[in-house]
Amino acid sequence: MGEVAFQVNTGTLRTDSRELRNYSRELHSVNAAVRAAMKELRHIHSSAPQINISLGRITGRMERCAGTTGTMAQVLEDIAVLYGNTETTLGQGYSMNHSGNAGNGGNSDTIGPVTTGIIAAGLLASLYAYTQYDKKKKQENIENSRPRYSVDSVVFDEDGSFGGNQGAPQKLRGAAKKSVYAIVRKYYRNMSDWEIAKFLKVLNSEGCSYVASVNTIFAAYQGRESEFEQTFGIPMYRDGDLNFNELLVDFYCQTDNHYMNENGFDYYDISDDPGADWEEQHYRLEKYLSDHDAYVHTSFENITPKNFSKYAENGYVILHYSEGTIRNADGTAYQSLKGVGHAMTITGVTTDGRFIVSSWGKTYYIDPSEGNCGFSYYQYKQK
């Protein structure tokens, strides 16, 4: 028998597969260590929320890498099996072609058309299946992400900004930047430009509950632009877009680090932990509305994808989410929340029972079974 024109070292493939699985396990271990460090960090450092947000994004990426590496390991293992089967078939095909060609005076060392066809078909089918699987799965997730119910509001515009973004004020330029800096100086008169820039970075790191509340204010005042400006002293629209940034900065400046004592009186304490828990955010929203001669009723409710539409008929829902994953429409992870929480405005429910949320001015998806969920419910009263 002459030299065979097709040969693959399946042993090497299996060795590489095992190494990839080891890498995947190591990534999971490092990820777990980072999460443990995040939990400890929030108790010992004042900058923990900012750091934890960055670390949360990193852990999300590590999870995706670990998953991809594990998938690659399985692919190599499957290819090794495929080649092993192919070699067996090749041997059978060679025997068939050898006997056939020898009997007809042909070249007995040539791989015949039957074997070649089996090899080509098997390899192409396998490669096509692997390249198409993720695409198909992502498309299925996108199809299932279609809203079964959604809040009808200009605030959540699929063609534009999907709610406010706490990181947007720090990126403003020109006239928009001057307007926001002027609002900050209403409350902190002597702040320099450098100090305001630093102040807005802090807003970005801890402002999720503020922007989630701002989304509901805009939704509640939809169609009442004049009343909005009269109430808050800020135009509802700026250059044709909802004026999220100015109201967000005003709300944050006026209420951040404000608390209510046991006697019901407001006090200011900058030494407390950054950010706001549920009750603190309820108090700050109520205070902000009250200071502008407006009213909102806040409560904690047990909200599910099944009963969300009933609550959404007369109010707005904020999701407080932790120990879970914020996902894109195709099901891939955007951010892993381990040891840190995040507040988002719920804007709808998908056909497969996930919450559609507004966060950082974009649309994301939350499976309530993947993490810890708490719900704030806001109902606004017109003058």
Side-chain angles (χ1 to χ4, degrees), residues 148-168:
R148 184 178 70 207
Y149 175 87
S150 60
V151 174
D152 183 16
S153 174
V154 296
V155 177
F156 311 111
D157 181 7
E158 291 288 1
D159 296 324
S161 177
F162 198 76
N165 176 2
Q166 68 265 32

Side-chain angles (χ1 to χ4, degrees), residues 188 256-259 268-274:
Y188 304 99
D256 188 47
N257 297 317
H258 280 262
Y259 303 87
Y268 181 79
D269 185 1
I270 196 172
S271 66
D272 209 337
D273 290 336

Side-chain angles (χ1 to χ4, degrees), residues 187-243:
Y187 301 93
Y188 304 99
R189 183 175 302 174
N190 297 321
M191 266 196 181
S192 66
D193 284 0
W194 180 86
E195 288 172 325
I196 293 177
K198 185 177 179 181
F199 178 79
L200 295 178
K201 286 184 179 179
V202 177
L203 167 60
N204 177 44
S205 70
E206 66 176 19
C208 59
S209 60
Y210 291 92
V211 76
S213 297
V214 162
N215 287 340
T216 68
I217 294 175
F218 275 93
Y221 279 83
Q222 181 173 324
R224 298 186 287 149
E225 290 80 3
S226 296
E227 184 181 344
F228 180 98
E229 185 167 1
Q230 181 181 2
T231 300
F232 301 107
I234 294 171
M236 190 168 182
Y237 287 86
R238 177 74 73 185
D239 299 326
D241 295 320
L242 288 169
N243 196 6

Side-chain angles (χ1 to χ4, degrees), residues 83-103:
Y83 277 127
N85 293 338
T86 301
E87 287 177 354
T88 300
T89 305
L90 177 61
Q92 296 171 349
Y94 176 85
S95 298
M96 291 166 50
N97 291 317
H98 177 78
S99 59
N101 289 333

